[in-house]
Structures are given as structure tokens and as C-alpha cells.
Amino acid sequence: MRRFAIRAACAAACAFSAGTSPAEQDLAAKPAFTDGEIRIILSHGPWPAPAEPDPSNRVSGKPDAIEFGTRLFFDQRLSASGTLSCSSCHVPERNWTDNLTRGVGMSEVDRNTPTLVNLLAGRWYGWSGASDSLWSHSLRPILDERELAATPRHVAQLVRDDEQLACRYRKAFGTPPSATDDEALLVDVGKALAAFQETLASGRTPFDRFRDALAKVGEPPLGTYSEPAQRGLKIFIGKGGCTACHSGPNFTGGEFFATGLSRFAPRGQPDPGRQAAIRQLEENRFNLLGRYNDDPTGMSAARTREASLEKTGFGEFKVPSLRNLILTAPYGRDGGAETLAEVVRHYAGLDPAALHAKDGRPAKPLDLTPREQTDLVVFLESLSTFSNPWRPDDGGQCY
């Protein structure tokens, strides 16, 4: 099998091997990738990944809707108290999260605030996937008594009565705000908010540059990616079994697993996760099976129709993306892990194959060494960039 490696000079290698054990030499060896490993690495790109507009949202991708959704996202009048907005928890400078253990609106909620970056190609939204579209998920915090605590009437009257919001609604949707249908107007607010959130994408990272260079020349390029990051990458795609859940360009398969990372029990009761969310999804009048889905083909609701057939266990939660991970601490559904090192230590004692199979077989822990855990953390850090291309823009006056 063809192997590629970045090799040290012969004299240096000989001098090193003379004074170290074989185990120490193997640990410090420069990483080499097989053809199979290279194929897995390439599957995590290219980035940014191409994505189509959401067919269930008739204003997805439209500039006027994006501008309207931006205004709404930062408008505190959307909340019942007039003191909170979507940006109160999803802070642009904090990678669109809040870096709190659990989110706080009108009061503290049960779960950690997830980032809004890279949501466009998602299938399920929220830690338990209780929403099947981004626009439907955008309605949940508006109506939740612990978050913005608004009502359909409150939101509808805000859009109707504010000249600038009404003008932007008309430009986005092609008609004036409904004078009578509060719920339909609320849904359109959710769709405008979704149009804005779809534009939030993370930038290219050191890993992406390494991956693209590898795609061009077929072997790890010299000097572009640190050796610890490459060793961590090899663990990630191999011994660590991480790609079973964190697959594709966005480093998530978007499905649900119980890993034991989150331990907090909200209000003293264990969080059932996906198991309860399926019922919530089916009962939600804003799901894709309802009248507010703009997709004339109905294909966007296929996964919703099949949700009741999912085999789920108690306490399963959605696999998050790993992009910009170092900017979104603390980690886990309950925000119980403060550092990446703590997360890696947790998974070092688990069997990723058993987690993925969900077959109840006895687990075989990974038993990653401290050095391997450090290398894995270095790789995970390479999936982040501090570049945030979003800039505030009031959009001027609407006429």
C-alpha cells in the first residue's frame, strides 16, 4: 500500500534512534497516512461546503429577507419585556453563542446555547432535534416563557405597527403584513430569521488548507500543518473512531447518540433527549408536515414522516459540529465540560464503535495515552478560525 510521510534527515534519525526505545521512537515519529486515511481526510471538505436554499422556506437565500431577518435578530422589542433579543444569547463576538454553562433569557434554560454557525445544511435543530427546519426552530425561543416569552399577537403587532419592519416585510415577502393572521405573520418572522442565520458560516481553518493541499498533491505538504495536529488527525480518523459521528465537511453526521458527556439533570429530572423530542416534533403545528411548509413537492418532510420509526435510547443528543470548537466552550448539552482536554479525556475512556452501533455489547475503551489526547486536542483546535466575516449593517431606511 502506498504510504506518504515527511521524513527527517538520515543522520538525525539515526542519532535519535540510538538513544531511545522503539516505543518512544514510534510515539515521536512523523505521521504517515495510508490511501484509505487520505480518502477519509478528503471527505471532510471542501470548505465552505456547497448548500442549496431551504425549499421549505420561500424566502431562503433572498437578500431582502436576510436584511429583514437581521433587523429582527437584534431587535429587543421581539421579547415580551423589550429587553432581550436573539442576540442576547447568540452573541456575534462569541461565535454566535454565549459561553455560559446554560442559556439565560427571562430565566435560565435547561441546555447549553449552541452556536448558530453552519446551520444551512442541517436536518434537525436543537440539542434533541425537536425542530425539523431552521425557521420552525427560530420560533421556539420567541414563544418560550424562559427565553423571549412573546406571543404570536405580540410579534405580529410589532411588525404591523413599526413602519420600517412593515416595509422590510413587504420587500421580503411581496405583500404587506397580514392584518388578521397573527400566526402566519409569526411564521414569516421565523422564516426571515432563518434566512439571516443561514448566512452565518465559519471561515477556512488550518485543517482546510492542509486538506486542500493534500487533495492537490496526494501527500502531506511540508511545513503547512504541525506534526502534533497531523498525529491528532490520524487518531481522529483511526484509533479514536471520531469520524463515525463527526463526519463530512461540517464534522457532524447530524444524528443522535448517548455519550455520557452531559450529566446535569434539569429541574432534578434526567433529560430524555431525542426520545422525547420526537413526540414534541410530531405535536408541533409548525413542523414540515403542517401548512406552513413552502415546499410544493413535500420532499423536505420525508425525514419528519420517518421520525417516529427511529430507534432511540434515553438521553441521546445531536452530534454537534466541531468547527470553531475552541470558541464555543463550555461543551456538552449541559455545558458540563469546560475545556477540550476534559472532553477528550471523557471520550478516551469510551468505545466509539459501541456508541455508534447502539447494540449493547460490552465496551472496549480507547485508552488513549496522555500524549495521544494532547495530539487530538491540537487537531481539534486546528478546526477553528478566529475570522468572523459578519459585520453589523443597519441597512439604512426602507422605502
Side-chain angles (χ1 to χ4, degrees):
M1 178 179 292
R2 184 165 57 102
R3 287 179 177 269
F4 301 102
I6 308 171
R7 303 188 182 281
C10 179
C14 292
F16 176 80
S17 61
T20 57
S21 69
E24 290 172 326
Q25 292 176 34
D26 182 67
L27 186 64
K30 292 180 172 62
F33 298 100
T34 66
D35 288 348
E37 288 173 329
I38 289 175
R39 283 193 293 271
I40 297 173
I41 294 170
L42 297 184
S43 74
H44 289 289
W47 190 261
E52 298 295 325
D54 177 5
S56 74
N57 180 357
R58 66 189 185 280
V59 297
S60 174
K62 294 186 176 181
D64 286 333
I66 294 169
E67 204 283 325
F68 179 42
T70 305
R71 280 290 186 102
L72 291 166
F73 190 88
F74 294 94
D75 196 328
Q76 294 181 333
R77 296 174 299 168
L78 205 59
S79 67
S81 66
T83 61
L84 298 167
S85 70
C86 302
S87 63
S88 297
C89 290
H90 298 284
V91 185
E93 296 81 7
R94 296 181 179 273
N95 198 51
W96 304 94
T97 180
D98 53 18
N99 297 129
L100 300 176
T101 302
R102 287 173 289 280
V104 179
M106 298 294 287
S107 60
E108 185 180 75
V109 300
D110 298 335
R111 296 171 178 167
N112 178 260
T113 302
T115 179
L116 298 180
V117 177
N118 305 326
L119 295 180
L120 179 55
R123 285 194 295 262
W124 307 111
Y125 297 89
W127 278 106
S128 59
S131 301
D132 55 2
S133 70
L134 183 54
W135 58 264
S136 174
H137 190 59
S138 299
L139 302 177
R140 188 199 56 76
I142 295 175
L143 302 177
D144 192 315
E145 292 183 355
R146 294 175 298 169
E147 297 190 54
L148 300 191
T151 64
R153 170 53 62 90
H154 172 87
V155 174
Q157 285 299 112
L158 172 65
V159 176
R160 292 181 187 122
D161 295 345
D162 184 273
E163 180 182 348
Q164 287 298 304
L165 292 181
C167 177
R168 284 175 165 78
Y169 178 95
R170 185 176 66 254
K171 292 180 69 173
F173 290 93
T175 60
S178 169
T180 58
D181 196 334
D182 294 343
E183 185 171 278
L185 191 43
L186 170 71
V187 169
D188 285 345
V189 163
K191 290 179 177 178
L193 286 168
F196 164 63
Q197 293 169 79
E198 289 169 352
T199 67
L200 304 178
S202 60
R204 287 172 53 75
T205 68
F207 166 79
D208 294 314
R209 292 189 287 273
F210 174 78
R211 180 261 173 207
D212 291 353
L214 190 61
K216 290 180 181 178
V217 302
E219 61 182 276
L222 288 166
T224 60
Y225 200 46
S226 75
E227 289 178 15
Q230 291 187 51
R231 291 195 300 266
L233 170 58
K234 194 172 179 70
I235 294 168
F236 185 87
I237 64 176
K239 178 180 179 179
C242 309
T243 54
C245 297
H246 295 285
S247 58
N250 200 22
F251 286 87
T252 176
E255 297 304 322
F256 305 86
F257 297 95
T259 66
L261 178 63
S262 298
R263 299 176 293 275
F264 173 73
R267 299 184 301 281
Q269 300 296 321
D271 191 334
R274 181 62 172 169
Q275 201 171 74
I278 291 177
R279 183 174 64 255
Q280 295 168 8
L281 173 67
E282 292 174 333
E283 295 173 353
N284 186 354
R285 66 184 184 278
F286 302 122
N287 70 29
L288 292 179
L289 298 175
R291 69 186 186 95
Y292 295 113
N293 186 348
D294 295 329
D295 180 9
T297 70
M299 294 299 294
S300 58
R303 292 295 298 272
T304 308
R305 283 190 287 269
E306 298 167 357
S308 62
L309 304 178
E310 286 185 29
K311 295 181 179 179
T312 61
F314 192 90
E316 293 181 359
F317 296 93
K318 190 175 71 173
V319 176
S321 168
L322 299 181
R323 287 190 173 272
N324 277 7
L325 193 62
I326 63 174
L327 305 178
T328 60
Y331 304 104
R333 178 268 308 165
D334 66 351
E338 295 185 359
T339 66
L340 278 180
E342 185 177 344
V343 175
V344 169
R345 280 197 301 272
H346 170 78
Y347 283 100
L350 298 181
D351 178 1
L355 283 175
H356 192 67
K358 303 183 184 181
D359 56 11
R361 293 180 302 174
K364 182 180 179 181
L366 288 176
D367 291 329
L368 296 181
T369 67
R371 173 67 176 271
E372 289 172 326
Q373 292 181 42
T374 298
D375 287 341
L376 187 52
V377 169
V378 173
F379 163 69
L380 293 172
E381 290 175 341
S382 79
L383 301 179
S384 297
T385 174
F386 289 96
S387 173
N388 183 354
W390 182 84
R391 295 292 182 271
D393 182 359
D394 66 9
Q397 293 293 305
C398 180
Y399 300 99

